């Protein structure tokens, strides 16, 4: 077991941003599905795959990306996750068809899986045992903040600027 990080709250800050971003990514588009349906000319069954593509990708890739982090470094996989998630978000925002949107959402979910699989381990490694519970609680708070704010932010953006705008919000976060 390695020693705690010299700046554990900096590690927690980066992990919390990734956690918040991936939770937002999962929940931003929920209320905008009717707009996606209308703009892309698809029925509700087809449009529901916009939500499912992200969730299925995260679910299928969470364990493999955790293992990849064990083998090649959790920090490295986590950092790549930011890039993959940001690329998936940008491609989702630019998607002209349902098929391209679904592929972009699956890519976004893959990035989220990289973040979700390795974030708690990075937080745990950064803090001494006496502070880990608090640190993991703060990370969980970032998750639920993203899940709570996502529908409101996504709905507001979709109403003002179209459903594509809901995907752009995570791109600058991922880049930063």
């Amino acid at each position: 077991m390695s020693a705690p990080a010299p700046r554990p709250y900096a590690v927690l800050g980066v992990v919390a941003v990734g956690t918040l971003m991936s939770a937002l990514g999962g929940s931003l588009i929920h209320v905008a599905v009717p707009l996606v349906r209308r703009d892309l000319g698809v029925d509700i069954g087809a449009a529901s795959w916009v939500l499912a593509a992200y969730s299925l990708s995260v679910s299928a890739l969470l364990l493999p990306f955790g293992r990849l982090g064990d083998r090649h470094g959790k920090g490295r996989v986590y950092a790549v996750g930011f890039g993959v998630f940001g690329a998936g978000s940008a491609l989702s925002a630019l998607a002209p068809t349902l098929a391209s949107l679904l592929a972009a959402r699956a890519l976004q979910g893959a990035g989220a899986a990289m973040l979700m699989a390795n974030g708690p381990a990075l937080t745990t490694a950064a803090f001494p045992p006496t502070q880990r519970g608090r640190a993991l609680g703060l990370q969980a708070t970032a998750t639920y903040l993203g899940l709570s704010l996502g529908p409101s932010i996504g709905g507001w953006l979709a109403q003002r600027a179209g459903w594509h705008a809901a995907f752009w919000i995570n791109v600058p976060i991922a880049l930063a």
Side-chain angles (χ1 to χ4, degrees), residues 7-176:
R7 295 180 42 203
Y9 284 97
V11 172
L12 178 60
V14 171
V15 170
V17 167
T19 300
L20 176 76
M21 186 179 68
S22 58
L24 274 173
S27 65
L28 276 168
I29 199 65
H30 283 256
V31 297
V33 169
L35 297 176
V36 172
R37 184 176 162 241
R38 182 197 68 205
D39 289 355
L40 297 181
V42 297
D43 64 31
I44 192 66
S48 69
W49 279 99
V50 174
L51 308 175
Y54 183 87
S55 298
L56 288 170
S57 181
V58 170
S59 299
L61 296 173
L62 204 57
L63 291 176
F65 283 137
R67 179 68 176 141
L68 193 66
D70 291 342
R71 294 180 60 100
H72 299 288
K74 292 173 189 352
R76 181 176 294 145
V77 174
Y78 195 83
V80 170
F82 268 111
V84 171
F85 187 90
S89 297
L91 290 170
S92 293
L94 296 169
T97 66
L98 181 63
S100 60
L101 179 57
L102 296 179
R105 285 288 282 168
L107 181 65
Q108 189 183 35
M114 291 177 184
L115 297 169
M116 291 177 187
N118 292 285
L122 290 170
T123 299
T124 300
F127 284 86
T130 58
Q131 297 177 353
R132 286 181 186 152
R134 177 179 297 141
L136 289 168
L138 290 170
Q139 182 185 342
T141 300
T143 300
Y144 292 109
L145 186 63
L147 290 171
S148 298
L149 294 176
S152 298
I153 294 170
W156 184 82
L157 287 170
Q159 176 106 26
R160 301 280 184 280
W163 62 267
H164 296 86
F167 292 111
W168 284 118
I169 192 168
N170 279 321
V171 174
I173 299 169
L175 289 172

